[in-house]
């Protein structure tokens, strides 16, 4: 899943910075049957020129739309931290 997410975002958005972080282990016990293994909770930190002029919501939608197949394949939660070049980052 991690590799597919990274490849899909690189191909579509050509980011200048990209980090895909598996945070599934942080959610162990979230539901009775979930032990935190696997790749169900991911964080994406991405800087791309494609985000210039887009609202924050539009950026999130663009990433979510690109990763629709991953949600269908078991991705449960996605935290997105998108920025355009030159914008301040929190990461």
């Amino acid at each position: 899943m991690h590799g597919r997410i990274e490849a899909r975002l690189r191909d579509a958005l050509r980011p200048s910075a990209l980090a895909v972080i598996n945070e599934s282990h942080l959610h162990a016990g979230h539901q009775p049957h979930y032990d935190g293994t696997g790749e169900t909770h991911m964080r994406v930190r991405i800087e791309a020129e494609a985000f210039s002029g887009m609202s924050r919501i539009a950026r999130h939608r663009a990433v979510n739309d690109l990763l629709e197949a991953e949600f269908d394949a078991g991705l449960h939660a996605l935290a997105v931290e998108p920025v355009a070049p030159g914008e301040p980052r929190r990461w």
Side-chain angles (χ1 to χ4, degrees):
M1 174 102 39
H2 180 278
R4 289 191 312 264
I5 290 171
E6 190 171 280
R8 207 175 291 270
L9 294 174
R10 282 195 191 282
D11 290 347
L13 299 173
R14 304 283 183 220
S16 51
L18 175 63
V20 178
I21 304 158
N22 184 352
E23 296 184 339
S24 301
H25 65 284
L26 300 173
H27 299 273
H30 180 81
Q31 296 193 359
H33 65 280
Y34 187 64
D35 63 3
T37 60
E39 295 178 305
T40 58
H41 296 72
M42 306 295 271
R43 178 173 301 275
V44 170
R45 293 178 171 157
I46 183 169
E47 177 181 282
E49 184 64 42
F51 294 138
S52 293
M54 293 174 73
S55 70
R56 187 172 171 185
I57 290 175
R59 295 172 183 189
H60 280 256
R61 285 183 181 147
V63 171
N64 284 337
D65 289 348
L66 287 169
L67 301 180
E68 184 176 348
E70 306 316 316
F71 282 103
D72 292 342
L75 181 61
H76 174 72
L78 180 66
V80 181
E81 298 178 44
V83 296
E87 293 179 346
R89 296 186 198 174
R90 293 171 43 179
W91 40 275

